[in-house]
Amino acid sequence: MTAVTARAHPNIALVKYWGKADTALNLPATGSLSMTLDVFPTTTTVTLAPDAAHDEVVLNGAVREGVVRDRVVRFLDIVREMAGSRTAAVVDSVNTVPSAAGLASSASGFAALAAAASRAYGLDLDRTALSRLARRGSGSAARSVIPGFAVWHAGSDEESFAEPLDAPDLAMVIAIVNSEEKAVSSRDAMKRTALTSPFYPAWVSSTTETLSAAVQASRDGDVERLGRITETNALRMHAVIQSCDPPVRYLSPVSVALFDLAESLRADGLPVYATADAGPNVVFLCRPKDADAVAAAARPLAETMIARPGPGVEVLA
Ligand code: 2P0
């Protein structure tokens, strides 16, 4: 019996992915830049089941049906096509990310699944090929293949993968405002933004420029420039999301208060910058030596967790 286990961690984007150039191949409208975390791993085992008629998907101990299962089966179909196989599989995944709360559970999930499934079906993919494959499951998963800081390139199927980026020594302080499932998935909200927001073309063109500036700031080790770019890019993403029809708003009053907190800590001389994904949680970017102070300042408003750059996807057994 072939069984392969892999582990991956979520990532938080400093320059966000929000919009697709191609839905079938999951190609992004712009490139993006992220830090893979050392917290909240997803561990996934793929076991080939030659006698089974159908795939089975188990998430956190519960057999899943419907859209969640369908998305995993479609991904396995891509792997089977690459491997020339028609064998069914059992996917058993344990996820420690608060699911669907904007902490990128699909990123760690599909990065771990890409590594475990490709190996179980006998493919020997290098990191670039694995990042391309993970992208097909969920765009942000392309970045969770890479340790630490990563840039995921826009472009063709061949060109669109993530690779490592030199970066200054940084930490993230995650402020968990709400870990409940969000009302509109990022996949649906992304589609709605591209179809209905009059600001979407400006988001795409400005983010393309922002990414080049962020890559340069990261290579230069310029924490303050990278931090300012991060915060501005996050607020621009939320602005374009809020401008779709019907509108979507992921930030809550507490999220806004946490963005204000970053500004007031900066006024006190602490270089800390806020970002938020498709949910109300806020993530602060700062130097590791300042992380405890940032967490202490945020704690009256939210539960906090300090993260550092983490490993890329790993095959465990
Ligand atoms: C990001 N997010 O760059 C952005 C910021 C959320 C906000 O990538 O449709 O789950 O699976 O490719 O990767 C969330 O979108 O979307 C995301 P799909 P994904 O981290």
Side-chain angles (χ1 to χ4, degrees), residues 1-5 46-49 76 78-89 113-126 129-130 133 315 317:
M1 190 166 72
T2 307
V4 179
T5 300
V46 174
T47 307
L48 298 192
L76 291 173
I78 294 169
V79 177
R80 280 188 282 256
E81 194 182 322
M82 288 168 76
S85 168
R86 299 178 69 171
T87 305
L113 180 60
S118 60
R119 189 70 72 88
Y121 280 98
L123 297 169
D124 184 16
L125 303 183
D126 64 17
L130 201 53
L133 174 61
V315 173

Coordinates of all heavy atoms in Angstrom, one line a residue, residues 1-5 46-49 76 78-89 113-126 129-130 133 315 317:
M1 N 0.8 -1.2 0.0 CA 0.0 0.0 0.0 C 0.9 1.2 0.0 O 1.8 1.4 0.8 CB -0.9 0.0 1.3 CG -1.9 1.0 1.2 SD -3.2 0.8 2.5 CE -2.3 1.2 4.0
T2 N 0.6 2.1 -1.0 CA 1.5 3.4 -1.0 C 0.8 4.5 -0.2 O -0.3 4.9 -0.5 CB 1.6 3.8 -2.5 OG1 2.0 2.8 -3.3 CG2 2.5 5.0 -2.6
A3 N 1.5 4.9 0.8 CA 1.0 6.1 1.6 C 2.1 7.1 1.8 O 3.3 6.7 2.1 CB 0.5 5.6 3.0
V4 N 1.8 8.3 1.5 CA 2.9 9.4 1.7 C 2.3 10.5 2.5 O 1.1 11.0 2.3 CB 3.3 10.0 0.3 CG1 4.3 11.1 0.5 CG2 3.9 8.9 -0.6
T5 N 3.0 11.0 3.5 CA 2.6 12.1 4.4 C 3.4 13.3 4.1 O 4.7 13.2 4.0 CB 2.7 11.7 5.8 OG1 1.9 10.5 6.0 CG2 2.3 12.8 6.8
V46 N -1.7 10.8 1.8 CA -2.4 10.3 0.6 C -2.1 8.8 0.5 O -0.9 8.5 0.5 CB -2.0 11.1 -0.6 CG1 -2.7 10.4 -1.9 CG2 -2.5 12.5 -0.5
T47 N -3.1 8.0 0.6 CA -2.9 6.5 0.5 C -3.6 6.0 -0.8 O -4.8 6.3 -1.0 CB -3.5 5.8 1.7 OG1 -3.0 6.4 2.9 CG2 -3.2 4.3 1.7
L48 N -2.9 5.4 -1.7 CA -3.5 4.9 -2.9 C -4.4 3.7 -2.5 O -4.1 2.9 -1.6 CB -2.5 4.4 -3.9 CG -1.5 5.5 -4.4 CD1 -0.7 5.0 -5.6 CD2 -2.3 6.8 -4.8
A49 N -5.6 3.7 -3.2 CA -6.6 2.7 -2.8 C -7.0 2.0 -4.1 O -8.1 2.2 -4.7 CB -7.8 3.3 -2.2
L76 N -6.8 15.8 -7.4 CA -6.2 14.4 -7.6 C -6.3 14.1 -9.1 O -5.4 13.4 -9.6 CB -7.0 13.4 -6.7 CG -6.8 13.5 -5.2 CD1 -7.7 12.5 -4.5 CD2 -5.3 13.2 -4.8
I78 N -5.9 16.0 -11.6 CA -4.7 16.7 -12.2 C -3.5 15.8 -12.0 O -2.7 15.6 -12.9 CB -4.5 18.1 -11.7 CG1 -5.7 19.0 -12.1 CG2 -3.2 18.7 -12.2 CD1 -5.7 20.3 -11.4
V79 N -3.3 15.4 -10.8 CA -2.1 14.6 -10.4 C -2.2 13.2 -11.2 O -1.1 12.8 -11.8 CB -2.0 14.3 -8.9 CG1 -0.8 13.4 -8.6 CG2 -1.9 15.6 -8.2
R80 N -3.3 12.6 -11.2 CA -3.5 11.3 -11.9 C -3.2 11.5 -13.4 O -2.6 10.6 -14.0 CB -4.9 10.7 -11.7 CG -5.0 10.1 -10.4 CD -6.4 9.3 -10.3 NE -7.5 10.2 -10.0 CZ -8.1 10.4 -8.8 NH1 -7.7 9.6 -7.8 NH2 -9.0 11.2 -8.6
E81 N -3.6 12.6 -14.0 CA -3.4 12.8 -15.4 C -1.9 12.9 -15.7 O -1.3 12.3 -16.6 CB -4.1 14.0 -15.9 CG -4.1 14.1 -17.4 CD -4.8 15.3 -17.9 OE1 -5.8 15.8 -17.3 OE2 -4.3 15.9 -18.9
M82 N -1.2 13.6 -14.8 CA 0.3 13.8 -14.9 C 1.0 12.4 -14.8 O 2.0 12.2 -15.4 CB 0.8 14.7 -13.8 CG 0.5 16.2 -14.0 SD 0.9 17.2 -12.5 CE 2.6 17.3 -12.7
A83 N 0.4 11.6 -13.9 CA 1.1 10.3 -13.6 C 0.6 9.2 -14.5 O 1.1 8.1 -14.4 CB 0.8 10.0 -12.1
G84 N -0.5 9.4 -15.3 CA -1.0 8.4 -16.1 C -1.6 7.3 -15.3 O -1.5 6.1 -15.5
S85 N -2.4 7.6 -14.2 CA -3.0 6.7 -13.3 C -4.5 6.9 -13.2 O -5.0 8.0 -13.5 CB -2.3 6.8 -11.9 OG -3.1 6.1 -11.0
R86 N -5.2 5.8 -12.9 CA -6.6 5.9 -12.7 C -7.0 5.4 -11.3 O -8.2 5.2 -11.0 CB -7.4 5.2 -13.7 CG -7.1 5.7 -15.1 CD -7.8 4.9 -16.2 NE -9.3 5.2 -16.2 CZ -10.1 4.7 -17.1 NH1 -9.6 4.1 -18.2 NH2 -11.4 5.0 -17.1
T87 N -6.0 5.2 -10.4 CA -6.2 4.7 -9.1 C -6.8 5.7 -8.2 O -6.4 6.9 -8.1 CB -4.8 4.2 -8.5 OG1 -4.3 3.3 -9.5 CG2 -5.0 3.5 -7.2
A88 N -7.8 5.3 -7.4 CA -8.4 6.1 -6.4 C -7.5 6.3 -5.2 O -6.5 5.6 -5.0 CB -9.8 5.6 -5.9
A89 N -7.8 7.3 -4.3 CA -6.9 7.5 -3.1 C -7.8 7.9 -1.9 O -8.9 8.4 -2.1 CB -5.9 8.6 -3.5
L113 N -1.1 18.7 0.1 CA -1.7 17.7 -0.7 C -0.9 17.5 -2.0 O -0.7 16.4 -2.5 CB -3.1 18.1 -1.1 CG -3.9 17.2 -2.0 CD1 -4.1 15.8 -1.4 CD2 -5.3 17.8 -2.3
A114 N -0.4 18.6 -2.6 CA 0.4 18.5 -3.8 C 1.7 17.6 -3.6 O 2.0 16.7 -4.4 CB 0.9 19.9 -4.3
A115 N 2.3 17.8 -2.5 CA 3.6 17.0 -2.2 C 3.2 15.6 -1.9 O 3.9 14.7 -2.5 CB 4.3 17.6 -1.0
A116 N 2.2 15.3 -1.1 CA 1.9 13.9 -0.7 C 1.3 13.2 -1.9 O 1.7 12.0 -2.2 CB 0.9 13.9 0.4
A117 N 0.4 13.8 -2.7 CA -0.3 13.1 -3.8 C 0.7 12.9 -4.9 O 0.7 11.8 -5.5 CB -1.5 14.0 -4.3
S118 N 1.5 13.9 -5.3 CA 2.5 13.7 -6.4 C 3.4 12.5 -6.1 O 3.7 11.7 -6.9 CB 3.2 15.0 -6.7 OG 4.0 15.4 -5.6
R119 N 3.9 12.5 -4.8 CA 4.8 11.4 -4.5 C 4.1 10.0 -4.4 O 4.6 9.0 -4.9 CB 5.4 11.7 -3.1 CG 6.6 10.8 -2.7 CD 7.8 11.0 -3.5 NE 8.5 12.2 -3.2 CZ 9.4 12.4 -2.2 NH1 9.8 11.3 -1.5 NH2 10.0 13.5 -2.0
A120 N 2.8 10.0 -3.9 CA 2.1 8.8 -3.8 C 1.8 8.2 -5.2 O 1.9 7.0 -5.4 CB 0.8 9.0 -3.1
Y121 N 1.6 9.1 -6.2 CA 1.3 8.6 -7.6 C 2.6 8.4 -8.4 O 2.6 8.2 -9.6 CB 0.4 9.5 -8.3 CG -1.1 9.3 -7.9 CD1 -1.7 10.1 -6.9 CD2 -1.8 8.3 -8.5 CE1 -3.0 9.9 -6.6 CE2 -3.1 8.1 -8.1 CZ -3.7 8.8 -7.2 OH -5.0 8.6 -6.8
G122 N 3.8 8.5 -7.7 CA 5.0 8.1 -8.3 C 5.7 9.2 -9.1 O 6.7 9.0 -9.8
L123 N 5.2 10.5 -8.9 CA 5.9 11.6 -9.6 C 7.0 12.1 -8.8 O 6.9 12.1 -7.5 CB 4.9 12.7 -9.8 CG 3.7 12.4 -10.7 CD1 2.7 13.6 -10.6 CD2 4.1 12.3 -12.2
D124 N 8.1 12.5 -9.4 CA 9.2 13.1 -8.7 C 9.4 14.5 -9.1 O 10.2 14.8 -10.0 CB 10.5 12.2 -8.9 CG 11.7 12.7 -8.1 OD1 11.4 13.4 -7.1 OD2 12.8 12.4 -8.5
L125 N 8.7 15.4 -8.4 CA 8.7 16.8 -8.9 C 9.7 17.7 -8.1 O 9.8 17.5 -6.9 CB 7.3 17.4 -8.6 CG 6.1 16.7 -9.3 CD1 4.8 17.5 -9.0 CD2 6.3 16.6 -10.8
D126 N 10.4 18.5 -8.9 CA 11.3 19.5 -8.2 C 10.4 20.6 -7.5 O 9.2 20.6 -7.7 CB 12.4 20.0 -9.1 CG 11.8 20.8 -10.2 OD1 10.6 21.3 -10.2 OD2 12.6 21.1 -11.2
A129 N 8.2 22.6 -10.0 CA 7.1 21.9 -10.5 C 6.0 21.7 -9.4 O 4.8 21.7 -9.7 CB 7.5 20.6 -11.1
L130 N 6.5 21.5 -8.2 CA 5.5 21.3 -7.1 C 4.8 22.6 -6.8 O 3.6 22.6 -6.5 CB 6.4 20.9 -5.8 CG 5.6 20.2 -4.7 CD1 4.8 19.0 -5.2 CD2 6.7 19.7 -3.6
L133 N 2.1 22.9 -9.4 CA 1.0 22.0 -9.1 C 0.2 22.5 -8.0 O -1.1 22.5 -8.1 CB 1.6 20.6 -8.8 CG 0.6 19.5 -8.4 CD1 -0.5 19.2 -9.5 CD2 1.3 18.2 -8.0
V315 N 8.1 16.4 2.8 CA 7.5 15.0 2.8 C 8.1 14.3 4.1 O 9.3 14.3 4.3 CB 7.9 14.3 1.5 CG1 7.5 12.8 1.6 CG2 7.2 14.9 0.3
A317 N 7.1 11.1 5.3 CA 7.2 9.6 5.3 C 6.5 9.1 4.0 O 5.6 9.7 3.5 CB 6.6 8.9 6.5

